[in-house]
Amino acid sequence: MSALSTKHLLGIKDLQKDDILRIFDTADEFKGVLNRPIKKVPSLRDITIANLFFENSTRTRLSFELAAKRLSADVINFSASTSSVKKGETLIDTTKNILAMKVDMVVMRHSSPGAPHFLSRHIPAVVVNAGDGTHEHPTQALLDAFSIRAKLGHDLEGVRVAIIGDIWHSRVALSNIFALKKLGAEVMVCGPPTLIPTYISSLGVKVEYKLEHALNWCDVANVLRIQLERQDSSVQDIPSLREYAQFYGISKKILDSLAKPVVLMHPGPINRGVELTSDAADSKHAIILEQVENGVAIRMAVLYLLATDLNQH
Ligand code: CP
């Protein structure tokens, strides 16, 4: 039996609250390991993990690689841009060839929503979703919620989190909503109407179009970038980045003017000068680098807990 209620981590939607709390408890242990002079444990010594990245990444790919190495797993890295995918090889063929090299776990990022789910139905390895198009980015949501808990020093019950920016094209928004709601937080989304899908209120979140109202309401602001690469070029969702920055850009001056302190988060990469000014991103309000640091412990926890099954064979 896996230590979680699922064999794969495909989305937060599939997790129980207890799974999330178990991941947090395990990540707390691994955070202790990461702060020791010797930052490595032998937990996954006989496990081989393939990081399959069909879409660009800095944080997630490095974080998964480091997490696997800290657990003593063998790691292979695949990047679509330098692979035979460029010669027309399919996702299934690519993956089956990699699995023929006796791989136990696959961490996959892909631009198509549902790609890791598809893969999990066709291969015997454990699959971890590292971001599938506009759908889910489960480990980002886990590290975000874990970082809020660490910053506030208590659980998320009743904590008000505003997710601000391009909700429409964001897998981080959807996974965050699922995770935060399961943990008892209150969630608001804020952005221009053209970047907020109409179905979103059916997920039990508040919708706000004015940045000032959202910032005055929340304890935590998780700010997302405008995902120009996912927007339909024939339809303009916003008049310009400059106008977006004027209405939704967050500066240190705005944060300092609020009646109560707000914790500022961003999953990265930041578009400085658009959704955040540099003085906000680098201010004492921001926990952006703590999120990155916590990401390694969270990913160690996810890999470790999902590998429980594999270790028993
Ligand atoms: N937050 C995040 O997913 O960043 P990368 O795209 O750099 O992995």
Side-chain angles (χ1 to χ4, degrees):
M1 271 293 289
S2 164
L4 301 177
S5 64
T6 56
K7 175 184 173 186
H8 310 282
L9 178 59
L10 301 175
I12 299 289
K13 198 175 182 186
D14 312 321
L15 292 185
Q16 308 291 325
K17 181 178 178 181
D18 281 352
D19 292 322
I20 298 176
L21 296 179
R22 181 160 298 154
I23 292 168
F24 286 0
D25 288 346
T26 311
D28 276 331
E29 299 287 328
F30 285 134
K31 227 177 143 173
V33 170
L34 292 171
N35 285 316
R36 292 193 322 220
I38 298 171
K39 300 174 175 58
K40 208 162 173 168
V41 286
S43 316
L44 298 193
R45 205 173 42 205
D46 298 323
I47 301 292
T48 304
I49 301 175
N51 290 322
L52 309 188
F53 278 69
F54 292 85
E55 196 189 60
N56 294 346
S57 169
T58 298
R59 280 147 290 270
T60 312
R61 196 184 69 75
L62 292 176
S63 182
F64 266 113
E65 182 174 352
L66 195 57
K69 286 179 170 166
R70 298 289 192 226
L71 292 165
S72 304
D74 293 316
V75 187
I76 52 173
N77 289 308
F78 162 93
S79 164
S81 58
T82 53
S83 73
S84 291
V85 168
K86 290 280 170 206
K87 301 174 195 165
E89 194 167 34
T90 66
L91 172 61
I92 285 287
D93 280 342
T94 300
T95 313
K96 283 189 172 163
N97 277 273
I98 292 167
L99 290 179
M101 301 175 208
K102 305 271 183 270
V103 165
D104 303 295
M105 302 178 87
V106 170
V107 174
M108 187 173 76
R109 169 167 291 191
H110 203 284
S111 57
S112 297
H117 306 67
F118 172 77
L119 203 63
S120 71
R121 291 193 293 272
H122 289 89
I123 63 169
V126 170
V127 178
V128 181
N129 181 0
D132 61 328
T134 55
H135 183 216
E136 281 228 39
H137 191 349
T139 54
Q140 181 69 47
L142 290 167
L143 75 87
D144 286 346
F146 183 79
S147 299
I148 296 172
R149 200 184 69 148
K151 177 68 182 176
L152 300 181
H154 56 75
D155 69 32
L156 273 69
E157 194 68 46
V159 173
R160 292 177 165 191
V161 182
I163 305 172
I164 299 167
D166 181 356
I167 310 300
W168 189 288
H169 302 97
S170 174
R171 54 195 174 209
V172 174
L174 198 56
S175 286
N176 259 269
I177 290 168
F178 290 140
L180 293 166
K181 296 289 296 177
K182 283 175 200 255
L183 293 169
E186 289 186 55
V187 185
M188 172 184 282
V189 294
C190 174
T194 48
L195 291 178
I196 299 184
T198 47
Y199 74 83
I200 207 86
S201 51
S202 70
L203 301 178
V205 305
K206 298 178 196 305
V207 177
E208 176 59 62
Y209 302 116
K210 281 203 158 59
L211 176 66
E212 187 192 342
H213 292 176
L215 289 176
N216 279 310
W217 174 85
C218 71
D219 305 304
V220 177
N222 196 352
V223 182
L224 309 177
R225 75 185 169 93
I226 300 289
Q227 305 212 15
L228 288 175
E229 76 276 21
R230 295 193 206 284
Q231 294 188 13
D232 178 350
S233 55
S234 63
V235 184
Q236 244 187 325
D237 293 324
I238 50 169
S240 68
L241 287 180
R242 200 166 142 182
E243 188 167 319
Y244 179 83
Q246 198 181 332
F247 286 95
Y248 293 98
I250 298 177
S251 64
K252 182 168 179 296
K253 190 173 163 198
I254 293 176
L255 294 170
D256 287 343
S257 72
L258 299 172
K260 63 177 169 58
V262 163
V263 177
L264 181 68
M265 304 176 70
H266 194 301
I270 302 171
N271 286 327
R272 287 176 182 256
V274 181
E275 68 270 15
L276 289 181
T277 59
S278 275
D279 65 0
D282 302 331
S283 71
K284 64 176 178 3
H285 303 279
I287 60 163
I288 297 167
L289 293 179
E290 282 101 310
Q291 290 173 257
V292 177
E293 183 182 342
N294 288 330
V296 179
I298 282 288
R299 290 177 175 120
M300 285 174 80
V302 165
L303 294 173
Y304 172 77
L305 291 168
L306 289 175
T308 312
D309 249 0
L310 303 165
N311 278 327
Q312 285 167 355
H313 294 137

